[in-house]
Structures are given as C-alpha cells and as structure tokens.
C-alpha cells in the first residue's frame, strides 16, 4: 500500500531504489494491490532488448474497462467520470457519471459487435473532443478491438494512410466538429480519405454540428439510433496482458508514420500509477488535461490513467482563444479544477495576451500544474508559475513520448523541488542513461548526451504495427541493449535531467512531432519543385516553426514565387494537415550536400536560425558555394 502514493523526497528515493533493485517485486506489488484481474500472471517480466521483446504480467487476464469503470461503480457510481465542456461556453457542460459511462460504453460496445467487430480487429477513430471519443476507445477495449485514433486535424490523405497501414475495418467519426468560431466538415474528409480504403466496411457517424452530409448507402450509419436500441450490458472480453490495446501513429524522422502498438496490462498499471503520483491525485479532485485524445497525452492522461483511478477527468472541445483568451481560466474557475495539464505552446500563446484574461478569474482551486510535449522555456515557466499557480502550485514538467506510453522523467508535486526547464528525476522504475558518440554510457553528474532507457518499464510500446524490424532499428539499434529516445539531455550536479531537444530529424512544432521526410515528400509532389529540405527554427509561440528550402525545376522558375509558396502549403495541408505548414519558404539553386549526397541539415538549421557565425567547416561539402547563396537570400 505504502508505495502507491509517494509523499516526500526521501520516500521517493527509497521507493525508486527498490523499484530499480527489484523491479519484478516492485511492479508485482503495485499490480496486485491496485487493479482487478481475471487471472493472475505467471511471470512479472521477461525481456530481451536485442530482439526486442518485452512482456509484462505474462499469463494474466483482464479487461481494462473493468478497471476503469466497473470496479468503481459500487462506491463511485454517481461520481462524475467525464466532465465535458463544450466549445461554446453557452452550451451546458455534461457530467457523465461512472454509472452512465458504464451504460454508454456497453451500448457502444454492443453496436461494435453488431457490426462484426471482434477481438483483435482494428477500428479507426476520427472524432473531435466530444464524449463519444472517450467512449469509443473504451468500447473497443471492452470487446478487445484495437483502437487507432487519428487526430481529427489530420488530412484525408494522412487518415487513409493510417487506416490502410493497420487494416481498419471500421471508422468512427462525426458529421463535423466545432473549433472556436469555425466548424469543420469532418465527414467530408473521411469520405475523401475512404476513396483509397477498400477495407473499411462501416462508418459510424456521431451527430455533433447537425450539418447536411452525404451518407453512403450500406457503409455509413448514424450512431445515435444504434446506441438507443443497444443493450446497456456487455460482458467484457477477457484479454491477455500482452494483447494490444491500441495503435497510435507518431512521426518518424524518415518514412511513413509509425503505428506504435501498446499492450494492455503494463500500459494500464503504469499510466494509473504515474497519474496518481505525478498529479498528486486525491479523491475529490477535478483533473483537466487540455490535450486532444488524438495524441498519446490524451490516451494516457485523459482516458486511461484518470479513469483507472476513479477520477473526474475533463474533456474540453474548444480552443484556448474562444470566445476569448480567458477561456482556459474561465473553465478552471467554473469547474474548480485542481490539476491543470497543458503544453508550453499554449502557455506561450496565452502569455502574449493581456494579463487581465487570467487575473480576473479565481484560480485558487489549482494544486498542480503540468507541462508536456516540448521543452518549456524559462519565461513561459515563470508566467505559468506566477499568473496561473500564484507561486503555490508546483509545476510538473513531464518528459515522455508516444512510445513510452506514460510519463518517464518528472517532478512529483510537493515532493521534488523544481527548477524551471528541468524535468528533474526519473519516475519510479525508470532507468535513464546518457550516451556518448562512441556508444558508451556517460556516468556521473554535470554531463550531457543522448537519452536512452536501459531497463524495460510496463507501458513501453511493444512494436510498430506490421514492422517489427523498423521498431528494432529505430529504438534498439543505436545503442546496445538500450531503448534510444531520439532526445538529448543533460544531467546536473544533483542528478536532475533537462531535456535539450531532438537529436534526429523530428521537429516539434506547437508540441506536435513532425518528421521532415513526409513533409519533403509532399512538397516534392508540386510539379514545379525539384527538391526540398525542411528544418526547424525557433519561434516565439510554437517553440519551433518550419523553414523550407526549395529547388525549383527549370520550368517552374518563371512562376510567381508567392503563388508557388501558397501551393506548397496547400499540398502540405492536403497530405498531412495544416499543422505541418511552412512558415518560411526560400527558393534556392542548390542544397548543401556531403560528398556522399546527404543534405547537411545542420548548416540549413543554422541559417534558418540566423546563426551564421558558427557554420563550421563547409569546405568539405560537395557544393560549398551554395552556402553563400543561401545565406544571402535567407528570409
Ligand atoms: C518532446 C508527447 C522536453 C521530446 C508526450 C519527446 C519534451 C517528444 C517534453 C515526444 C518535455 C515531450 N520537455 N521535451 N517535458 N515532453 N517532449 O510522442 O522531444 O508527442 O521525444 O509525446 O516530445 O512527443 P510525443
């Protein structure tokens, strides 16, 4: 019992030491005491990072929805499980109790079954932040179907690529979505995407904006009438601990997005345990994570982690700027939010506005503030601390990844003294390592290197859907016997970690991971473009923005450059989504390349960041003369 909620620093160190010395003993105790199982495991952990293969709680049987819903009904049936705050502040918030969540999930699960969805089938979910989104995840989990949520800001092409990659049989969507003043035709995007997805048999459509949409005979069905007649009881499918719970796509530095596969038992145990400790969750708290469920943060810390703890979790449909820049704080005051978890990009955007938007609200309910998705800069940290937390709510700067499933390096509020920009200490059970360029571990304090994890943790992704080899190459080949994160980090004199950013070609824009290769592929589809290279450069609000260097084909050189710029961003929007649009596009006659033909992005990054004094040695390039030209014309 004692290990479940850590209350002071010595206790953290003690529990951490135990978790590392005897991981099996440690995790077994957590799993045993805080979850319900249909059958106990035969073995707590088996692992081999060379294959790589990791199994937690092998042999155990369970259903995660029994842990997230059923077991709370006896004592918390009338407690709010999901508190839905609509886009429009005049529309009433909805309190979905655990009793009602139980019924709605079961009804939805029965609808899935009626449409031939069974254990192991993949279901794509493309929904805005409405209750049906959380409910559809849980409905899939109830019957053992594997959900693959695609963020509803992705384009039709991005959607169809993801549907086909994991052979989804069904898509769950809505007629449209609200985003601030705008409404978006989601069903139209789905229809377009599905032109290339022959495997999709059924599309279930939730009604949200009451727009006129096309319904394809035999394929498309309105969800609500089906739910209305479905039974409120659905026996949970009994799942093996290692059976996949979901697939979630994340960008890689090259190639197609990677469908990270998460297992059931380990994911449940780790997200629940981290939720309890990282947010210092107590029974009557009202917890709000502003992420979209389309990202891992929403999966782990809007849906599964909070519900496994019987918490009240807020789902917000709208945006921070609507109807004005005070919306977040209005919601905090209205629902007396106790934990508030958001991204640095949102904080930076709000910090730019008049202080009155935040100062006029009573934020005294807040106890913990969280940050996730990218490094939080010192200025944003202080603004958050001073104006939202009033110096009283600790900020937890949580470092983790889609691949890690749960929070990995983080302070524990009221336990770990914080320092701005430091994610501080590894969570219980997490064994980080910093590596040097020769592949050796860097021991000691005040050092920096590439961040790896050298021991398995329960919620790590088990594979990439359909491509285990790529999983091995991406994460387990750079350093022997270690999981490589793709991030750099430093460790200070007391052992605190500070994440310094990506060391590969992934660029984090407004907290969203974007791989350079898919964007370049999209640009190269433009008939006038011969070649392109994308780099990130610092941006006040987004953290990073995208800078594109584009070589035009001879035929395109007479075109108006501004028109071509617009068309390039249009193509990117169609292929990926508006989040991947370029802020700057520079036309150039060449790109700096090594003698083996590799683009020297390091040089392009420096030029884009206006850091041209430290370009380093360019004389070994294949075409050093192009560097001058690029500098002269830089934007
Ligand atoms: C970055 C989001 C610094 C990092 C949960 C990581 C961070 C990538 C932090 C994963 C943080 C996330 N400080 N950087 N607190 N949190 N990152 O998969 O580069 O969307 O590798 O998961 O975001 O992004 P993803």
């Amino acid at each position: 019992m004692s290990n479940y909620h850590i209350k002071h620093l010595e206790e953290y160190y003690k529990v951490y030491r135990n978790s590392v010395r005897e991981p099996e003993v440690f995790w077994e105790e957590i799993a045993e005491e805080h979850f319900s199982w249909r059958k106990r495991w035969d073995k707590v952990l088996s692992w081999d990072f060379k294959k790589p293969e990791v199994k937690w709680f092998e042999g155990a049987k369970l259903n995660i929805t029994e842990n997230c819903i059923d077991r709370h009904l006896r004592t918390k049936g009338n407690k709010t499980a999901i508190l839905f705050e609509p886009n429009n502040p005049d529309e009433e918030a909805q309190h979905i109790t655990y009793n009602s969540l139980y019924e709605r999930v079961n009804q939805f699960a029965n609808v899935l079954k009626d449409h031939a969805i069974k254990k192991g089938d993949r279901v794509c979910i493309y929904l805005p932040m409405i209750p049906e989104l959380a409910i559809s995840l849980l409905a899939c989990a109830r019957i053992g179907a594997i959900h693959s949520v695609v963020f509803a800001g992705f384009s039709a092409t991005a959607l169809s690529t993801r549907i086909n990659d994991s052979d989804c049989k069904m898509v769950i969507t809505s007629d449209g979505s609200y985003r601030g003043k705008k409404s978006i035709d989601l069903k139209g995007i789905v229809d377009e995407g599905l032109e290339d997805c022959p495997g999709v048999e059924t599309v279930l459509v939730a009604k949200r904006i009451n727009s006129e949409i096309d319904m394809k005979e035999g394929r498309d069905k309105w969800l609500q009438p089906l739910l209305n007649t479905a039974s409120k009881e659905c026996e949970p499918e009994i799942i093996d601990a290692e059976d996949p719970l979901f697939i979630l796509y994340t960008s890689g530095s090259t190639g197609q997005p990677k469908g990270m596969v998460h297992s059931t038992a380990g994911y449940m145990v780790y997200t629940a345990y981290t939720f309890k400790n990282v947010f210092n969750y107590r029974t009557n708290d009202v917890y709000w994570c502003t992420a979209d469920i389309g990202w891992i943060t929403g999966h782990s810390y809007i849906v599964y982690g909070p519900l496994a703890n019987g918490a009240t979790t807020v789902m917000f449909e709208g945006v921070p700027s609507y109807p004005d820049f005070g919306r977040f704080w209005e919601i905090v005051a209205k629902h007396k939010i106790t934990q508030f978890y958001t991204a640095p990009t949102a904080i930076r955007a709000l910090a730019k506005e008049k202080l009155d938007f935040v100062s006029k609200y009573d934020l005294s309910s807040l106890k913990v503030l969280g940050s996730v998705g990218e490094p939080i800069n010192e200025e944003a940290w202080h603004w958050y601390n001073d104006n939202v937390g009033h110096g009283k709510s600790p900020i937890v700067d949580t470092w983790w990844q889609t691949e890690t499933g749960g929070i990995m390096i983080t302070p524990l509020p009221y336990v770990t003294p914080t320092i701005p920009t430091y994610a501080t200490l590894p969570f219980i059970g997490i064994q980080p390592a910093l590596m040097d360029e020769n592949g050796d571990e860097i021991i000691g304090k005040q050092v920096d290197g590439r961040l790896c994890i050298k021991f398995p943790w329960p919620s790590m992704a088990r594979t990439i859907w359909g491509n285990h080899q790529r999983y091995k190459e991406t994460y387990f080949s750079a350093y022997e016997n270690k999981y490589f994160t793709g991030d750099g980090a430093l460790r200070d004199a007391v052992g605190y970690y500070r994440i310094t950013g990506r060391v590969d070609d992934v660029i984090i824009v407004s907290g969203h991971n974007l791989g350079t290769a898919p964007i370049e592929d999209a640009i190269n589809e433009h008939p006038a473009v011969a070649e392109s290279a994308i780099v990130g450069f610092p941006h006040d609000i987004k953290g990073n923005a995208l800078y594109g260097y584009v070589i035009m084909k001879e035929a395109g050189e007479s075109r108006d450059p501004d028109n071509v710029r617009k068309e390039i961003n249009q193509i990117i929007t169609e292929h990926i989504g508006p989040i991947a649009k370029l802020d700057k596009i520079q036309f150039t006659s060449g790109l700096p390349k090594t003698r083996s033909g590799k683009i020297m992005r390091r040089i392009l990054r420096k030029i884009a960041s206006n850091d041209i004094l430290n370009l380093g040695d360019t004389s070994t390039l294949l075409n050093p003369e192009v560097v001058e030209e690029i500098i002269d014309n830089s934007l």
Side-chain angles (χ1 to χ4, degrees):
M1 259 336 204
S2 60
N3 286 342
Y4 198 64
H5 191 177
I6 293 155
K7 300 200 182 59
H8 51 82
L9 196 59
E10 294 94 281
E11 190 185 358
Y12 160 80
Y13 279 114
K14 187 173 137 254
V15 177
Y16 180 78
R17 270 196 305 274
N18 292 340
S19 74
V20 167
R21 260 189 223 141
E22 293 187 293
E24 282 97 340
V25 176
F26 176 80
W27 288 111
E28 174 155 59
E29 189 189 307
I30 297 285
E32 201 152 44
E33 290 182 4
H34 303 280
F35 301 90
S36 48
W37 304 90
R38 289 295 186 108
K39 176 182 171 285
R40 209 187 135 87
W41 45 91
D42 305 316
K43 194 159 187 238
V44 179
L45 170 66
S46 56
W47 67 290
D48 177 354
F49 276 180
K50 288 203 176 67
K51 283 186 180 169
E53 186 178 77
V54 172
K55 291 181 178 163
W56 284 91
F57 309 113
E58 207 179 344
K61 293 193 185 292
L62 73 157
N63 187 292
I64 195 169
T65 67
E66 285 196 307
N67 283 274
C68 289
I69 308 170
D70 304 35
R71 66 175 173 142
H72 306 312
L73 297 181
R74 204 169 49 82
T75 52
K76 298 187 182 123
N78 292 322
K79 177 177 176 173
T80 302
I82 296 175
L83 202 176
F84 171 64
E85 173 67 27
N87 176 64
N88 181 346
D90 298 331
E91 193 183 322
E92 226 175 286
Q94 288 176 34
H95 291 257
I96 302 170
T97 62
Y98 275 94
N99 280 333
S100 149
L101 185 63
Y102 173 82
E103 293 178 359
R104 292 178 67 173
V105 167
N106 283 341
Q107 286 178 311
F108 207 134
N110 284 322
V111 170
L112 297 180
K113 284 211 277 198
D114 291 345
H115 289 83
I117 300 296
K118 47 185 197 321
K119 181 164 183 265
D121 286 345
R122 276 79 61 203
V123 173
C124 172
I125 301 171
Y126 186 74
L127 277 171
M129 282 286 284
I130 55 177
E132 286 80 355
L133 174 51
I135 292 168
S136 63
L137 267 65
L138 295 162
C140 288
R142 188 84 176 167
I143 63 167
I146 302 170
H147 57 75
S148 168
V149 183
V150 176
F151 171 60
F154 276 121
S155 69
T157 316
L159 175 64
S160 65
T161 311
R162 287 160 175 78
I163 289 173
N164 289 332
D165 183 74
S166 47
D167 295 318
C168 295
K169 278 171 77 176
M170 176 189 269
V171 177
I172 303 170
T173 188
S174 64
D175 51 354
S177 66
Y178 293 123
R179 252 186 100 68
K181 279 195 248 72
K182 288 191 285 192
S183 51
I184 295 158
D185 174 21
L186 279 195
K187 179 61 169 43
I189 299 173
V190 170
D191 288 341
E192 195 189 326
L194 290 191
E195 284 171 19
D196 303 322
C197 302
V200 172
E201 293 160 10
T202 315
V203 179
L204 299 179
V205 188
K207 193 169 253 190
R208 177 57 182 145
I209 67 169
N210 292 309
S211 58
E212 280 286 313
I213 56 165
D214 289 337
M215 295 291 278
K216 188 167 166 196
E217 186 70 46
R219 186 195 71 180
D220 301 353
K221 307 227 166 112
W222 288 107
L223 180 61
Q224 197 57 48
L226 299 172
L227 291 173
N228 291 344
T229 55
S231 160
K232 293 174 179 165
E233 293 298 330
C234 175
E235 265 305 298
E237 183 80 28
I238 305 308
I239 307 292
D240 286 344
E242 279 295 320
D243 279 345
L245 174 63
F246 65 86
I247 301 168
L248 186 60
Y249 286 87
T250 187
S251 305
S253 40
T254 57
Q256 290 298 326
K258 298 169 285 192
M260 304 312 306
V261 179
H262 281 282
S263 74
T264 303
Y267 177 82
M268 171 183 79
V269 168
Y270 192 80
T271 54
Y273 183 50
T274 45
F275 174 77
K276 171 80 181 163
N277 284 287
V278 175
F279 299 104
N280 190 34
Y281 166 73
R282 309 285 174 115
T283 306
N284 295 319
D285 288 347
V286 182
Y287 160 90
W288 180 20
C289 165
T290 71
D292 192 290
I293 292 175
W295 310 115
I296 191 69
T297 306
H299 280 61
S300 302
Y301 299 109
I302 296 179
V303 181
Y304 290 111
L307 296 178
N309 282 281
T312 297
T313 178
V314 174
M315 271 183 82
F316 174 45
E317 183 185 27
V319 294
S321 54
Y322 177 78
D324 64 37
F325 289 99
R327 186 68 193 277
F328 272 3
W329 322 123
E330 185 247 338
I331 297 173
V332 169
K334 175 169 152 196
H335 297 302
K336 302 204 168 33
I337 302 292
T338 43
Q339 289 90 349
F340 178 75
Y341 190 30
T342 197
T345 187
I347 300 167
R348 288 190 296 263
L350 296 173
K352 278 217 159 358
E353 303 301 326
K354 284 200 305 272
L355 208 49
D356 186 48
F357 284 122
V358 47
S359 57
K360 71 177 175 206
Y361 292 105
D362 176 7
L363 306 181
S364 58
S365 55
L366 288 170
K367 299 191 302 187
V368 178
L369 301 178
S371 172
V372 61
E374 53 181 317
I376 178 163
N377 51 305
E378 193 139 3
E379 217 182 329
W381 193 98
H382 283 294
W383 187 89
Y384 200 23
N385 186 49
D386 297 348
N387 300 300
V388 182
H390 297 289
K392 295 196 322 268
S393 299
I395 297 178
V396 290
D397 178 358
T398 63
W399 173 83
W400 59 295
Q401 309 179 296
T402 305
E403 295 85 338
T404 69
I407 294 168
M408 301 288 281
I409 302 184
T410 179
L412 302 183
Y414 305 100
V415 171
T416 319
T418 57
I419 304 178
T421 77
Y422 281 77
T424 74
L425 296 169
F427 189 76
I428 307 302
I430 302 305
Q431 303 188 34
L434 296 179
M435 308 301 293
D436 69 16
E437 272 160 25
N438 305 322
D440 295 321
E441 183 173 350
I442 309 169
I443 307 293
K445 309 273 167 86
Q446 287 183 302
V447 289
D448 67 283
R450 294 178 171 214
L451 180 61
C452 288
I453 312 290
K454 54 186 178 184
F455 194 84
W457 63 99
S459 67
M460 64 192 296
R462 301 297 195 257
T463 188
I464 292 174
W465 185 265
N467 200 344
H468 197 66
Q469 185 58 26
R470 186 173 180 202
Y471 176 67
K472 178 175 175 170
E473 278 160 19
T474 311
Y475 304 106
F476 296 91
S477 300
Y479 303 98
E480 210 187 338
N481 257 328
K482 291 182 180 66
Y483 165 81
F484 175 47
T485 65
D487 283 316
L490 63 82
R491 185 166 52 222
D492 78 358
V494 292
Y496 276 15
Y497 288 86
R498 176 177 202 248
I499 309 303
T500 48
R502 300 293 307 185
V503 295
D504 56 10
D505 289 331
V506 171
I507 305 170
I508 304 198
V509 178
S510 298
H512 304 315
N513 293 8
L514 299 171
T516 51
I519 305 176
E520 288 162 5
D521 291 346
I523 299 173
N524 298 348
E525 301 256 314
H526 190 290
V529 170
E531 201 183 350
S532 61
I534 303 297
V535 296
F537 70 101
H539 184 280
D540 273 2
I541 291 177
K542 302 191 220 180
N544 295 295
L546 300 179
Y547 193 122
Y549 296 91
V550 175
I551 306 177
M552 295 258 246
K553 287 183 186 152
E554 232 174 84
E557 281 173 358
S558 55
R559 301 271 324 268
D560 172 9
D562 277 339
N563 281 342
V564 180
R565 286 192 176 97
K566 274 196 206 117
E567 289 161 10
I568 286 176
N569 270 331
Q570 186 55 36
I571 290 183
I572 294 175
T573 306
E574 281 159 19
H575 279 248
I576 299 157
I579 50 178
K581 282 204 278 192
L582 309 183
D583 271 39
K584 293 184 180 176
I585 299 174
Q586 176 177 350
F587 296 104
T588 169
S589 69
L591 295 166
K593 289 194 176 165
T594 61
R595 286 179 194 277
S596 59
K598 210 170 162 270
I599 299 172
M600 286 291 280
R601 288 170 200 277
R602 183 178 52 80
I603 293 176
L604 295 174
R605 252 192 305 269
K606 293 215 157 161
I607 300 174
S609 313
N610 233 336
D611 183 17
I612 51 172
L613 294 178
N614 304 304
L615 286 186
D617 184 11
T618 56
S619 63
T620 58
L621 291 174
L622 193 64
N623 50 353
E625 68 292 343
V626 81
V627 175
E628 283 302 311
E629 181 211 310
I630 294 180
I631 292 174
D632 288 346
N633 298 329
S634 70
L635 304 168

